[in-house]
Amino acid sequence: DVHIRNREVEIVSAAEVRLGLDLLALFQGRLQLGKLELKRPAIFIERNSEGTFNIGNPPAVAAKSAAVERVEISLSNGTLRYVDRQSGMAFETAQCSLDVRHLRVLRGERSDSDMMKNLSLTAEGACTEIRTKDFAASDLKFSLSGENGVFRLEPVMLHVFGAQGLGSVQAELSGTANLYTISFSLPQFRVEEVFQPLSSEKVAEGSLDFTANLTMQGKTVDELTQTLQGQLQLRGEHLVLHGRDLDSELSRFESSRNFNLVDVGAFFFAGPLGVVATKGYDFANIFRGSGGRSDILKLVSDWKVQRGVAQAQDVAMATKQNRVVLHGGLDFVNQRFDDMTMALVDAQGCATVQQKILGTFRKPRVEKPNIVKSLAGPVLQLLKEGAELLPGGKCKVIYTGSVTSPK
């Protein structure tokens, strides 16, 4: 029944802790830790709104830390809870194990940056389950190595959305601004499992491929967001949307003027960037129409991220009779839509209908809207009267991407 507190806040508890002392050092009159074993530990890590972790040293401490060499650490059947008050991110893990080998800490000043530069280790870890507010993953496994302030998680494997993901994370923590490099791929994940937490009804089915290659630099959430750059890609074929016949509704668009292209675009948002931009969006409501189904022949969602802004490079989907495309960007630094446009395009790639989305993620504005509600609300109906048809005449090609016209 061991408890560890920092500034009166409990950060670790364990049912049992075993310590092993180095015998040779003991004969020399020194207490040298050789092994640390924690059984059923519960670890709580919190980052407050100012960016300070609860596991940091008190400001008054300025003594030098003692050198630690070749310590073995093991955890079994543990849990970890992480809360970031700056970003709102939080997750919990269950049934975790960790084996740390060759842990070494050189003598140095007691500061976070110095400690990371003086730390070297290799480790293997696993967790049966990981949960966030929006999704759950299982069977996490990883290998960790690090020295001289550079730490690498590779491989990182986990099971999420019915598929096996594989990735790596490198953190360079020896400088004044931490540098992170992230790669991740999730091939053939099931789209129905993405929507499952949001609705008991089957909204969509099919498989998608997702890849991400990102870098970011800094020590605060704002710094990391402002320096975020890289590529994100979502691809899929032969998907099915249930409860709504998009082709039928699009064919009646000119006469009814009651179809919302933004709702169609929400399917793109369900990809790599939409979780952030459409928190609370009632995805199930999008496809809960008069019945029927929509066959999505191909979906492409390619994004380039620079300085925290994701720009659509090739974002489009084709049904049996129509193509819907997306232009513009998502500004994660300012939490805004960056001149985003949804468009229905013809066989030449010219827009026949388009609709702009402006404003913040939480309070978007749609071109000529009748009713606008927050994306954070339980039900989104951004537009009741639909978009205006573009004037006739020679058209301007706005889409030349990889999704070909079905006609």
Side-chain angles (χ1 to χ4, degrees), residues 376-392:
V379 176
L380 177 65
Q381 291 180 332
L382 288 177
L383 188 60
K384 288 294 186 181
E385 294 183 352
E388 293 292 330
L389 292 179
L390 296 180

Side-chain angles (χ1 to χ4, degrees), residues 244-319:
R244 197 164 192 176
D245 187 340
L246 296 180
D247 283 334
S248 176
E249 294 185 61
L250 286 168
S251 68
R252 300 193 305 268
F253 177 83
E254 186 172 358
S255 59
S256 63
R257 301 291 186 92
N258 62 2
F259 189 81
N260 189 1
L261 284 174
V262 175
D263 280 348
V264 180
F267 190 73
F268 299 124
F269 295 157
L273 303 174
V275 175
V276 178
T278 58
K279 287 183 177 179
Y281 196 108
D282 186 1
F283 285 107
N285 186 67
I286 302 168
F287 309 112
R288 190 184 298 119
S290 57
R293 57 180 272 173
S294 301
D295 294 305
I296 306 300
L297 304 181
K298 186 173 182 178
L299 182 144
V300 171
S301 185
D302 292 350
W303 301 79
K304 183 177 181 179
V305 186
Q306 289 183 310
R307 297 181 181 179
V309 179
Q311 289 290 337
Q313 299 294 294
D314 185 1
V315 181
M317 72 176 185
T319 64

Side-chain angles (χ1 to χ4, degrees), residues 107-393:
R107 191 182 303 274
E109 296 293 335
R110 279 186 181 171
S111 69
D112 292 340
S113 59
D114 285 331
M115 181 177 179
M116 300 311 291
K117 285 188 292 185
N118 296 328
L119 174 67
S120 64
L121 81 164
T122 58
E124 302 284 338
C127 289
T128 301
E129 187 178 32
I130 305 172
R131 286 194 172 276
T132 71
K133 181 180 178 182
D134 300 314
F135 75 96
S138 61
D139 300 328
L140 169 68
K141 297 179 182 179
F142 63 87
S143 296
L144 170 64
S145 62
E147 61 180 343
N148 300 322
V150 180
F151 297 85
R152 188 165 183 85
L153 283 162
E154 187 179 23
V156 178
M157 297 178 288
L158 79 163
H159 194 80
V160 60
F161 299 143
Q164 183 69 43
L166 179 65
S168 66
V169 179
Q170 179 170 298
E172 299 179 26
L173 309 178
S174 57
T176 56
N178 301 334
L179 175 64
Y180 300 91
T181 303
I182 302 168
S183 296
F184 184 72
S185 64
L186 186 64
Q188 297 295 291
F189 75 89
R190 302 302 300 177
V191 67
E192 52 264 41
E193 296 206 16
V194 177
F195 292 103
Q196 189 174 28
L198 304 174
S199 173
S200 58
E201 300 179 20
K202 180 179 282 190
V203 175
E205 60 181 304
S207 60
L208 294 165
D209 297 324
F210 172 67
T211 59
N213 293 283
L214 299 168
T215 63
M216 62 189 81
Q217 190 170 7
K219 292 188 175 181
T220 67
V221 174
D222 288 343
E223 289 174 348
L224 293 174
T225 303
Q226 291 168 8
T227 58
L228 183 66
Q229 63 182 29
Q231 299 282 341
L232 295 161
Q233 186 179 85
L234 185 72
R235 298 280 178 108
E237 294 183 353
H238 306 298
L239 308 171
V240 177
L241 309 184
H242 292 282
R244 197 164 192 176
D245 187 340
L246 296 180
D247 283 334
S248 176
E249 294 185 61
L250 286 168
S251 68
R252 300 193 305 268
F253 177 83
E254 186 172 358
S255 59
S256 63
R257 301 291 186 92
N258 62 2
F259 189 81
N260 189 1
L261 284 174
V262 175
D263 280 348
V264 180
F267 190 73
F268 299 124
F269 295 157
L273 303 174
V275 175
V276 178
T278 58
K279 287 183 177 179
Y281 196 108
D282 186 1
F283 285 107
N285 186 67
I286 302 168
F287 309 112
R288 190 184 298 119
S290 57
R293 57 180 272 173
S294 301
D295 294 305
I296 306 300
L297 304 181
K298 186 173 182 178
L299 182 144
V300 171
S301 185
D302 292 350
W303 301 79
K304 183 177 181 179
V305 186
Q306 289 183 310
R307 297 181 181 179
V309 179
Q311 289 290 337
Q313 299 294 294
D314 185 1
V315 181
M317 72 176 185
T319 64
K320 290 182 176 181
Q321 300 177 23
N322 295 279
R323 274 191 303 176
V324 180
V325 306
L326 182 149
H327 285 192
L330 298 168
D331 183 348
F332 292 100
V333 176
N334 299 300
Q335 297 286 294
R336 299 181 61 85
F337 292 97
D338 183 15
D339 195 25
M340 183 167 284
T341 302
M342 295 295 308
L344 183 65
V345 297
D346 59 19
Q348 287 73 42
C350 301
T352 57
V353 180
Q354 69 177 11
Q355 195 171 12
K356 285 187 176 294
I357 314 168
L358 306 170
T360 65
F361 293 160
R362 293 195 174 275
K363 293 184 178 180
R365 300 192 313 274
V366 180
E367 189 179 61
K368 298 183 179 180
N370 183 33
I371 297 177
V372 178
K373 290 188 178 181
S374 170
L375 280 173
V379 176
L380 177 65
Q381 291 180 332
L382 288 177
L383 188 60
K384 288 294 186 181
E385 294 183 352
E388 293 292 330
L389 292 179
L390 296 180

